[in-house]
Amino acid sequence: MGITLRNVVLTYPDGDARMRALDDVDFTAERGRLTAVTGPSGSGKSSLLAVAGLLTAPDSGLVVLDGTDVTESTRAQRTTLRRERLGFVFQQSNLLPSLTATEQLLAITHLRGERVRVHRDRARTLLTDLGLGGHLDKRPHQLSGGQRQRVAIARGLMNDPAVLLVDEPTSALDEDRSRRVVALLADLAHDRNVAVVMVTHDLGQLDLVDDCHEMHSGRLTSGFPTRL
Ligand code: ADP
Ligand code: MG
C-alpha cells in the first residue's frame, strides 16, 4: 500500500522535439515509511512528485494508489483523489500571510464546506502533535522557518492522506532544523502509516530515511548513495 509508478515516461516540449523528464521510471513508496528521492537539479525529482501526486498525467506507464490503478482516471477524479488521499508540502511553505497557523489548516477544508468545529479541533491537535501547541494563533511572520515548515506539514496531513509528498522541505533551513524536520517526517510516516515521499538535496539526513532513490536525467536508481 502506498504509491507506485511503473514504467512511467513523462515528456515536455523541448524546441521541436520532446525531452524525457521521467524516462521509464519504476518507483514505490510504501505506507509507514519515509522514502527519499535525491539527485541533481533538473534531474526530474519534482516531475516524479507531480506524477505521484496526480498533478500531471504521464505519457505512458502506470500510477497505482493504495493498490488501485488510477492511470486512466479523469481530471475530475484525480482532483478528488488528491483532495481525499494525498497531502502536499512544497519547498516554500506557501502559507498565507494573513492567516494564523490554525487557519492555514482550515483554509483548504473551508472550500469543502464541511463542519468547521470538527476541523478546527483536528487542526489544533495536529499542530500540537507537531510541537506547535504554543503557536496556534500565530501568523507566518511570527514563526521561524522551521515552525512554518511544520505548519505546512500539518496542513498536508489534515485529510489523513495515504501519501504525503514533500518537495525539498529543508532547503531554507539550517542543519539542525533540517534534521528535526526530516526526523519528524520519519516519525509521521511510522506513526500514522503514511507513505511519505521526500525530495531532498540534503544527503546529510539520509540516515533518517527508510528507503532511498536517486534520480539522474530522468532515470531512477534505487538504493542509498554509496558515498553515505
Ligand atoms: P528537479 O526537480 O530534479 O530539479 P524537474 O522535475 O523540475 O527536476 O525538471 C526535470 C526536467 O524537466 C528539467 O530539465 C526541467 O527543465 C524540465 N521541466 C520541468 N518542468 C517543465 C515544464 N513545465 N515544461 C518544460 N520543461 C520542464
Ligand atoms: Mg525540483
Side-chain angles (χ1 to χ4, degrees):
M1 291 291 158
I3 186 85
T4 294
L5 276 53
R6 187 133 357 265
N7 301 122
V8 160
V9 174
L10 176 70
T11 65
Y12 293 118
D14 181 21
D16 293 337
R18 299 187 71 84
M19 59 88 63
R20 286 190 172 214
L22 299 176
D23 189 1
D24 198 16
V25 164
D26 283 316
F27 172 78
T28 291
E30 296 278 356
R31 278 182 180 253
R33 299 177 74 81
L34 172 59
T35 300
V37 179
T38 68
S41 181
S43 59
K45 305 182 297 297
S46 294
S47 300
L48 175 76
L49 283 192
V51 171
L54 311 183
L55 292 161
T56 304
D59 298 39
S60 60
L62 295 183
V63 182
V64 181
L65 175 60
D66 265 355
T68 303
D69 185 346
V70 297
T71 315
E72 301 295 329
S73 52
T74 63
R75 188 175 285 266
Q77 286 167 332
R78 287 203 301 274
T79 302
T80 304
L81 287 166
R82 277 203 305 278
R83 198 183 290 148
E84 294 182 352
R85 313 289 298 284
L86 305 178
F88 295 89
V89 182
F90 296 106
Q91 187 164 349
Q92 311 297 333
S93 54
N94 281 326
L95 301 180
L96 299 164
S98 62
L99 300 186
T100 67
T102 307
E103 288 165 350
Q104 306 284 346
L105 275 63
L106 294 172
I108 324 171
T109 57
H110 275 162
L111 299 173
R112 301 166 61 188
E114 292 180 34
R115 284 161 52 216
V116 174
R117 196 172 55 80
V118 175
H119 286 285
R120 185 174 300 275
D121 288 347
R122 173 163 175 78
R124 290 189 170 138
T125 303
L126 266 176
L127 289 166
T128 304
D129 287 353
L130 269 60
L132 295 165
H135 305 282
L136 299 177
D137 299 318
K138 299 243 173 90
R139 299 189 201 305
H141 73 274
Q142 298 168 303
L143 298 170
S144 71
Q147 288 167 340
R148 283 200 288 269
Q149 201 52 281
R150 276 186 281 150
V151 173
I153 292 167
R155 182 178 56 184
L157 292 168
M158 260 309 267
N159 60 351
D160 194 19
V163 183
L164 182 70
L165 300 156
V166 190
D167 202 351
E168 308 249 15
T170 61
S171 58
L173 304 180
D174 63 34
E175 170 88 21
D176 199 41
R177 289 202 174 86
S178 294
R179 200 159 177 81
R180 276 187 273 151
V181 165
V182 177
L184 170 67
L185 290 170
D187 288 345
L188 293 172
H190 303 156
D191 297 347
R192 293 171 190 265
N193 198 33
V194 182
V196 180
V197 183
M198 174 181 71
V199 162
T200 184
H201 270 105
D202 202 348
L203 302 184
Q205 320 297 348
L206 290 185
D207 58 310
L208 297 171
V209 317
D210 300 304
D211 298 299
C212 188
H213 305 266
E214 203 169 351
M215 189 72 108
H216 273 282
S217 308
R219 299 195 71 96
L220 192 72
T221 8
S222 297
F224 287 86
T226 47
R227 57 193 172 278
L228 262 193

